[in-house]
Amino acid sequence: MIAFLLRRFMWFVITVWAVQSLSFFLVRLAPGGPFTQERNVPLHVELAQRAKLNLDVPLYEQYFGYFGKLFRFDLGISDRQPDFTVNEIIAAGFPVSASLGVLALLFAVALGLAAGIVSAVFRGRGWDVSIMAAATLGIAVPSFVVASVVIILFVFVWPLFPAAGWGEPANLVLPAFCLGAPYAAYIARLSRTGMLEVLSQDYIRTAYAKGLSTRAVVLRHALRGALLPVFSFLGPAVAGILTGSLVIEKIFAIPGLGVHLLNAALQRDFTLMLGMVLVYTTVLYSMNTLVDLSYRILDPRVELT
Amino acid sequence: MQAIGRKLFPYLAAILLLLAAYFAVAGERRAPADFTFVNGTEIKSIDPAISTGQPEGRIIRALFEGLVNWDPRDLSSTPGVAARWEMSEDSRRITFHLRDDALWSDGTPVTADDFVYSYRRLLDPLTAAQYAYQLYYVVGAEKYNRGQVAVGDRVEIERFDPPSGAPPHARGELLRGTLLEYAEAFVDDPAAGKTELSDDEQRERLRRRVRMYTIEIDGEARRFKTGVAAFRDEPEFDAYEPVKQVLVDFDTVGIRAPDDRTLIFELNNPAPYFVSLTGFYPLYPVHRETVERFGSPDWMRPENLVGNGPYRLEERAFRDYIRLAKSETYWNAENVKLDVIDALAVESNVTALNMYENRQVDWTPVVPTVILPELKKQDRDDLRVAPYLTITYFRFNVTRSPLTDARVRRALSLAIDRPEIVDKIMRGGRTAATSFVPIGIEGYESPDCCQHDPEEARRLLAKAGFPGGKGMRKLTLLHNASEDAEKLCQAVQFQWHDTLGVEVELVRQEWGTYQEKVRNLEYDVAIAGWIGDYVDPNTFLDMFVTGGGNNNTGWSHAEFDAIIKERAPRERDPEKRLALMRQAEEILLAEMPVVPLYFPERNYLVRTYVKGLHNNILDVHPLHDLWIDEAERERQTAPRRKR
């Protein structure tokens, strides 16, 4: 297992280098730069701004300078938000996105699994049909629509929660619901499929033959097998959910990370963009590694390579 | 080990999730503020020198104070740090007398030297301040800011490291002398063998520039060089010592502090609005000691920031909120009514509206225009409509045929039905443009333009050789992919086709690319907007002088240039000066390198118990002027559930 982790880490370093290099050059190829704005600045100001952002030295010097600082975990000052370093921006946003994400995930896993199991056990009956219909709807309806509907319902019609903002537990409920809903739907479908497959296995029949109750068979013997597809879905899903959602964070004015990747790219905030790409790479990579590890734990037949 | 791991795994995962959930919920709640408002997107900076936007201005005006303040009712100048000021006979010298009781938040007095320091910082090319040009009225300021030097000038040489004993972020050590010789060289000159350079090549060339100075210091001739390329190993530059920058000596710039309480400006030309300009926030002072000790961005952190304004920076959470607390050291603290103010960073106007309607905020400065007709129907007394010093217009690229012909440009303008666009397409929140300079500048009346006259439009187009649009190539209309821009452009596309038979293709570009294309004149027609910096027609007209940084149309007109650059600035009589401005606008509207479309209004929602918030055309609402009618607030919130 140690060897596995070391090997993974080595690949991680290579991945980060490749992704960062690619992003470094791509973002510089796009027209404009961090100093572009509606008002045209005189050439001498633009050149000074370039110099301030260290963009006037040859490209290879910028490249090596960037990686030199990256090794010391120094991502520099944001090009567009000069009051903050990229490290500070990530440190401010990540806990917010992550904690919202964890809540959404909890909700999604709990609801999704329950729905999936019920659905599989009552296959083809009313419960199954209505749960699967709801799940399909949950996947198909975009989150801004879900958000608008819950805001109308639970902020204005029945004023239970604040409309937007951050800092109080009540602020978490609606965004966590909207963020988690599509994931819950996916998990419901995946766990239903996994469950159905497991329920037709011989060892389940053996368990029934031994006289175990349906409840014991389903929860003790079948559930574990049904979880495998859910886990492989959860790896990338967790990465996505932890790094924040652009739409949800915008609608509910949540100071998370979700907005940064797109905004930084649109605004040509070179340093922040590279920092965000680094966060995504790291989270996605560690989640995939964790999923591989959890496979091994859930299913002893799986070998780690 | 594995077996244990397998057994424990579900429990561990559950505990981890619960801990994370606890962390998410267990934040410390902050006490409610006296006044909470939505301040748009996270502000770029609280450094007055490098900020440019409205939301930035609201915060900077609370944390710092300039020589004068603007009265929010009529934007006239009222005493700020300066208690009084006077103009010399020829109105080219302005003397400000600072009040004795103006203090920084660390208790030290605000001195005239603080202003000299801050203005030098604003003008320093290394600050790269976009608004540095606001000080170009001052003698020598432009030269200093542009880094121009001429043989015989007194110059200051800034070395890379601060003198020993100076704070870590102070300027480099200064040497002073007289310039004897000046030369520049270009490493691997991209212009070699070329006669004409594109903008990009011009930039690239300047980046390869090495500037070489021979300067007499105390009777000795010494050699210095500046520029990024100066570090290359080129033997021809070896004899020169590399330094940070060489500028004209700041002592030659017309900003002086003969004593702690007196600040004198020498101006190039009589500029009656210069006094008012010192109330514009980029010209606010910063605290030298903190800036030099902590450097950027650390000097702006709540624990370090020293300001001289009515409020202190209590907390700042990125993209969340800024908490301002009343400053006890402010000279006029007794007239500052609100103790604690929260400025929320909310990106979406719709979210801001939701928060206002849900009574989470007291003021939202921008209402989404789509909802405006609905709100107006409700006939509510908390919706305010204010004229605003801004215009939305089209630029024509006059270097491209057939737009080189003024008749074609005029025909295109006459074919636009502005009232229809404003009322039916954009559905309110705007006034159809009748000139280029927006309505509302006192004493100035714009020439009339922009009638809808399809007959005349067709006639003009025919005269230009395109009867019924025949023979005219398809034009492109560039916009920046915003929803409003798209709607507007589609409407105009339809009207041009319908009235003139002119085919237009919409080109949608994301923001950065759009900017680049406009800048490089890679378009036929492009949407544009402009917000005035100060209350004078000049802020709208001077961008169209030949080669002006925001001209971007390729248009050039000798008489227009003469009025804006020579005649108007020299005119002492304000009435005659405005008449000259009107003449310039007439030229602009006759030539039509730009088509005025509409003047966006400011629409905002503010609770009726908030007092002291006045409409003005710069949309400036100083927070220290606000107060709250508690009795009325009580009445309004009582029937509602307390949140």
Side-chain angles (χ1 to χ4, degrees):
Chain A
M1 186 144 111
I2 304 281
F4 165 76
L5 286 178
L6 278 178
R7 205 162 42 240
R8 273 298 172 99
F9 184 72
M10 195 188 76
W11 277 110
F12 171 68
V13 173
I14 294 172
T15 312
V16 165
W17 168 77
V19 173
Q20 288 282 296
S21 302
L22 195 66
S23 324
F24 180 92
F25 291 111
L26 274 183
V27 73
R28 277 167 175 76
L29 277 179
F35 31 77
T36 306
Q37 40 189 291
E38 260 130 280
R39 303 197 159 201
N40 212 342
V41 296
L43 194 60
H44 70 280
V45 176
E46 190 196 306
L47 288 173
Q49 286 175 342
R50 255 178 200 282
K52 224 173 156 182
L53 302 178
N54 202 29
L55 294 172
D56 57 347
V57 300
L59 202 58
Y60 70 91
E61 266 180 50
Q62 294 178 37
Y63 181 77
F64 288 114
Y66 177 75
F67 274 90
K69 282 167 92 183
L70 186 63
F71 267 115
R72 282 169 276 137
F73 297 103
D74 177 3
L75 295 172
I77 293 172
S78 160
D79 287 346
R80 284 278 186 184
Q81 298 281 348
D83 289 9
F84 296 93
T85 63
V86 173
N87 286 356
E88 284 175 309
I89 291 177
I90 292 171
F94 189 72
V96 172
S97 284
S99 52
L100 181 66
V102 162
L103 283 184
L105 206 63
L106 260 183
F107 158 74
V109 170
L111 184 71
L113 271 186
I117 293 167
V118 169
S119 217
V121 172
F122 300 97
R123 183 185 184 182
R125 280 189 261 162
W127 275 109
D128 182 24
V129 173
S130 40
I131 286 176
M132 280 307 112
T136 310
L137 207 65
I139 294 170
V141 177
S143 52
F144 66 88
V145 176
V146 178
S148 312
V149 171
V150 298
I151 287 177
I152 292 171
L153 285 181
F154 299 110
V155 176
F156 291 111
V157 176
W158 188 19
L160 282 181
F161 300 107
W166 184 253
E168 293 175 32
N171 285 124
L172 285 161
V173 180
L174 295 185
F177 172 80
C178 298
L179 192 58
Y183 291 95
Y186 269 112
I187 292 172
R189 289 172 62 109
L190 286 171
S191 55
R192 176 179 180 269
T193 318
M195 197 71 162
L196 285 177
E197 203 184 302
V198 174
L199 283 177
S200 62
Q201 302 269 329
D202 287 345
Y203 74 90
I204 298 294
R205 204 174 316 141
T206 314
Y208 275 118
K210 279 181 2 187
L212 292 181
S213 67
T214 308
R215 198 175 128 156
V217 172
V218 169
L219 292 184
R220 183 158 305 183
H221 299 277
L223 182 59
R224 180 168 293 180
L227 280 181
L228 277 181
V230 175
F231 265 85
S232 47
F233 165 74
L234 276 182
V238 168
I241 217 169
L242 286 187
T243 42
S245 146
L246 171 77
V247 176
I248 298 295
E249 291 185 359
K250 199 165 171 179
I251 293 179
F252 291 101
I254 290 164
L257 275 187
V259 187
H260 293 318
L261 187 65
L262 183 74
N263 272 7
L266 286 181
Q267 298 246 311
R268 311 282 192 268
D269 189 332
F270 292 170
T271 47
L272 181 57
M273 215 213 87
L274 289 173
M276 285 305 299
V277 169
L278 182 67
V279 170
Y280 266 77
T281 319
T282 311
V283 174
L284 195 64
Y285 201 91
S286 5
M287 280 307 146
N288 278 335
T289 307
L290 273 182
V291 166
D292 288 350
L293 274 181
S294 67
Y295 267 21
R296 173 84 176 109
I297 289 165
L298 284 172
D299 185 346
R301 289 169 302 181
V302 173
E303 284 290 326
L304 292 176
T305 49
Chain B
M1 164 69 202
Q2 291 251 318
I4 300 174
R6 221 175 302 147
K7 272 224 175 81
L8 284 182
F9 179 74
Y11 300 103
L12 271 177
I15 290 173
L16 216 70
L17 278 178
L18 285 176
L19 271 178
Y22 173 76
F23 172 80
V25 182
E28 216 177 299
R29 291 178 61 167
R30 60 181 199 277
D34 299 316
F35 176 72
T36 307
F37 72 100
V38 168
N39 198 28
T41 317
E42 172 69 28
I43 63 171
K44 184 183 169 199
S45 179
I46 48 180
D47 183 346
I50 60 169
S51 299
T52 50
Q54 286 280 357
E56 286 80 358
R58 287 185 203 113
I59 302 298
I60 291 172
R61 281 175 193 287
L63 297 174
F64 303 94
E65 184 179 50
L67 291 167
V68 303
N69 286 321
W70 290 344
D71 187 316
R73 276 165 289 249
D74 55 7
L75 298 173
S76 61
S77 304
T78 60
V81 174
R84 59 199 168 80
W85 51 88
E86 72 242 354
M87 249 185 228
S88 66
E89 198 66 10
D90 62 355
S91 19
R92 287 171 64 157
R93 170 190 294 179
I94 305 177
T95 310
F96 287 92
H97 299 279
L98 276 52
R99 62 177 71 249
D100 298 324
D101 52 353
L103 298 178
W104 291 101
S105 53
D106 66 353
T108 54
V110 181
T111 64
D113 277 330
D114 288 326
F115 281 92
V116 176
Y117 168 77
S118 306
Y119 290 164
R120 197 212 64 76
R121 180 172 176 269
L122 180 66
L123 285 173
D124 191 329
L126 297 176
T127 307
Q130 219 182 313
Y131 273 132
Y133 72 87
Q134 301 282 7
L135 280 176
Y136 282 6
Y137 301 99
V138 175
V139 170
E142 181 167 2
K143 212 171 163 186
Y144 188 86
N145 181 242
R146 288 178 177 269
Q148 296 162 337
V149 283
V151 171
D153 280 348
R154 279 193 15 232
V155 291
E156 54 182 45
I157 302 122
E158 185 181 352
R159 289 187 146 150
F160 284 102
D161 295 316
S164 61
H169 298 279
R171 291 186 80 191
E173 186 186 351
L174 286 186
L175 301 172
R176 291 196 156 81
T178 311
L179 187 66
L180 297 177
E181 262 175 66
Y182 174 71
E184 15 186 87
F186 297 88
V187 180
D188 309 327
D189 193 349
K194 282 189 192 168
T195 44
E196 222 172 284
L197 288 181
S198 74
D199 271 13
D200 280 339
E201 285 169 325
Q202 186 69 31
R203 273 180 208 142
E204 188 52 38
R205 186 162 190 257
L206 285 173
R207 241 176 293 163
R208 293 161 184 266
R209 182 172 63 167
V210 180
R211 310 178 77 182
M212 290 165 284
Y213 309 82
T214 309
I215 296 164
E216 186 192 324
I217 302 170
D218 301 330
E220 187 193 344
R222 293 170 63 176
R223 298 167 140 195
F224 302 96
K225 61 179 173 182
T226 63
V228 190
F231 290 94
R232 301 269 193 91
D233 275 333
E234 305 270 347
E236 54 170 318
F237 310 137
D238 275 356
Y240 296 84
E241 179 195 343
V243 289
K244 212 185 217 171
Q245 58 180 351
V246 176
L247 304 169
V248 289
D249 194 331
F250 193 69
D251 289 348
T252 63
V253 176
I255 304 174
R256 284 185 296 127
D259 63 64
D260 272 2
R261 297 266 152 265
T262 315
L263 188 65
I264 300 174
F265 292 91
E266 308 281 352
L267 306 181
N268 289 318
N269 293 304
Y273 43 82
F274 187 80
V275 171
S276 160
L277 208 57
T278 64
F280 187 34
Y281 68 80
L283 273 67
Y284 281 16
V286 292
H287 190 247
R288 177 175 190 164
E289 204 193 306
T290 4
V291 173
E292 294 193 337
R293 192 163 128 216
F294 297 106
S296 209
D298 284 340
W299 73 270
M300 290 173 279
R301 311 237 181 266
E303 63 273 22
N304 300 335
L305 185 75
V306 173
N308 68 330
Y311 287 89
R312 298 180 282 110
L313 183 63
E314 176 121 325
E315 284 170 64
R316 182 169 181 198
F318 183 65
R319 287 191 52 241
D320 194 357
Y321 66 94
I322 289 175
R323 170 157 284 201
L324 302 167
K326 182 175 167 175
S327 164
E328 293 310 325
T329 57
Y330 181 56
W331 62 271
N332 199 13
E334 61 180 301
N335 288 317
V336 178
K337 299 293 194 309
L338 300 170
D339 287 332
V340 180
I341 296 179
D342 274 355
L344 307 186
V346 177
E347 214 162 312
S348 148
N349 292 339
V350 179
T351 304
L353 178 69
N354 282 346
M355 293 174 88
Y356 180 87
E357 292 294 78
N358 197 36
R359 303 193 87 83
Q360 286 171 262
V361 296
D362 301 307
W363 173 34
T364 173
V366 182
V367 173
T369 39
V370 264
I371 302 174
L372 205 61
E374 203 55 44
L375 291 176
K376 279 186 176 158
K377 248 186 265 163
Q378 293 175 2
D379 193 27
R380 35 202 295 172
D381 49 8
D382 58 347
L383 176 68
R384 303 243 209 122
V385 179
Y388 186 38
L389 207 56
T390 180
I391 180 167
T392 301
Y393 63 100
F394 282 152
R395 282 193 169 97
F396 285 132
N397 181 353
V398 304
T399 64
R400 282 192 184 177
S401 168
L403 298 168
T404 41
D405 190 333
R407 287 171 301 189
V408 175
R409 305 196 294 259
R410 276 211 301 279
L412 289 171
S413 171
L414 288 167
I416 300 174
D417 184 351
R418 293 172 180 81
E420 184 182 87
I421 289 178
V422 166
D423 297 335
K424 305 229 174 80
I425 312 286
M426 311 307 287
R427 301 189 67 212
R430 300 154 177 87
T431 317
T434 50
S435 55
F436 189 76
V437 178
I439 314 160
I441 297 177
E442 218 172 275
Y444 182 74
E445 202 169 325
S446 286
D448 232 17
C449 90
C450 310
Q451 312 79 345
H452 177 221
D453 190 343
E455 278 308 311
E456 176 69 8
R458 280 190 282 267
R459 202 185 60 79
L460 272 173
L461 199 66
K463 260 177 84 181
F466 307 105
K470 274 191 200 68
M472 186 137 149
R473 72 178 172 90
K474 196 174 198 177
L475 296 177
T476 58
L477 174 46
L478 177 69
H479 69 86
N480 54 358
S482 85
E483 209 177 305
D484 276 358
E486 178 117 39
K487 271 201 290 189
L488 168 68
C489 290
Q490 281 169 352
V492 173
Q493 179 187 34
F494 175 77
Q495 292 183 351
W496 279 349
H497 179 79
D498 209 43
T499 320
L500 298 174
V502 172
E503 295 284 345
V504 181
E505 184 191 353
L506 299 192
V507 180
R508 176 195 168 100
Q509 287 291 356
E510 57 86 31
W511 186 82
T513 314
Y514 156 83
Q515 300 289 347
E516 279 296 299
K517 285 200 175 280
V518 170
R519 205 148 297 177
N520 299 331
L521 293 183
E522 289 165 18
Y523 70 92
D524 291 335
V525 188
I527 193 168
W530 188 255
I531 300 174
D533 291 329
Y534 47 91
V535 190
D536 192 277
N538 195 47
T539 180
F540 286 89
L541 297 175
D542 74 348
M543 60 175 149
F544 296 106
V545 298
T546 305
N550 288 296
N551 181 320
N552 293 339
T553 59
W555 184 69
S556 162
H557 195 282
E559 199 188 337
F560 182 87
D561 287 359
I563 297 176
I564 298 292
K565 283 174 143 165
E566 310 286 335
R567 291 172 60 197
R570 298 228 169 103
E571 182 56 64
R572 305 260 176 89
D573 182 347
E575 245 172 72
K576 284 191 188 143
R577 200 182 69 85
L578 287 178
L580 281 170
M581 285 287 165
R582 187 188 152 99
Q583 221 176 312
E585 193 181 356
E586 268 165 15
I587 296 173
L588 186 74
L589 292 174
E591 284 273 312
M592 284 228 149
V594 289
V595 184
L597 295 167
Y598 50 69
F599 304 131
E601 296 162 351
R602 264 300 190 228
N603 297 280
Y604 57 97
L605 285 163
V606 62
R607 304 258 176 257
T608 47
Y609 54 68
V610 176
K611 309 289 181 192
L613 201 92
H614 302 278
N615 284 353
N616 56 58
I617 54 172
L618 284 184
D619 196 31
V620 170
H621 311 284
L623 298 171
H624 58 265
D625 283 325
L626 304 184
W627 54 282
I628 280 176
D629 185 338
E630 285 300 339
E632 196 176 337
R633 179 185 228 168
E634 217 38 54
R635 262 202 311 283
Q636 283 188 25
T637 43
R640 292 211 169 214
R641 191 172 50 87
K642 276 244 162 112
R643 192 171 289 290

